[in-house]
Amino acid sequence: MNKITNFVERLQKIGINVKLAGNFPWIYLTEINGKRVTEKFQSDHGFTIAFFPIRLDQKLELTDITEIFKLIRKYK
């Protein structure tokens, strides 16, 4: 969760507020600056920015930072 927390806090520093939602193992980006995200990425239900690790030896990784920032630019 530390990567997700750092990601959200860094976005807040540059004036971008995001809301996330989780449904194991997906972490979805649901709102950007109060605008609801309608796109879908690597999921049937929302824009996935990361996956919770299933095993203890796995780490949480962001899906595709390029796609995430394309979406943020679109909604900003």
Side-chain angles (χ1 to χ4, degrees):
M1 291 301 284
N2 199 15
K3 281 189 178 187
I4 298 295
T5 304
N6 288 342
F7 179 71
V8 171
E9 289 174 354
R10 287 179 180 181
L11 287 174
Q12 285 177 345
K13 286 181 183 178
I14 59 172
I16 300 170
N17 295 314
V18 296
K19 287 190 180 179
L20 306 175
N23 183 15
F24 189 80
W26 301 275
I27 300 174
Y28 299 116
L29 181 60
T30 58
E31 285 186 16
I32 301 171
N33 286 341
K35 298 176 187 172
R36 185 157 172 81
V37 174
T38 57
E39 285 81 354
K40 293 177 176 55
F41 179 68
Q42 294 189 353
S43 168
D44 292 337
H45 302 289
F47 194 91
T48 306
I49 65 163
F51 295 97
F52 284 111
I54 296 173
R55 291 179 285 167
L56 294 175
D57 61 337
Q58 293 177 327
K59 294 182 180 180
L60 183 124
E61 295 292 330
L62 296 175
T63 52
D64 186 357
I65 199 74
T66 305
E67 289 297 319
I68 294 169
F69 277 102
K70 280 183 189 176
L71 184 74
I72 289 172
R73 283 186 207 103
K74 178 180 175 183
Y75 280 83
K76 188 173 187 243

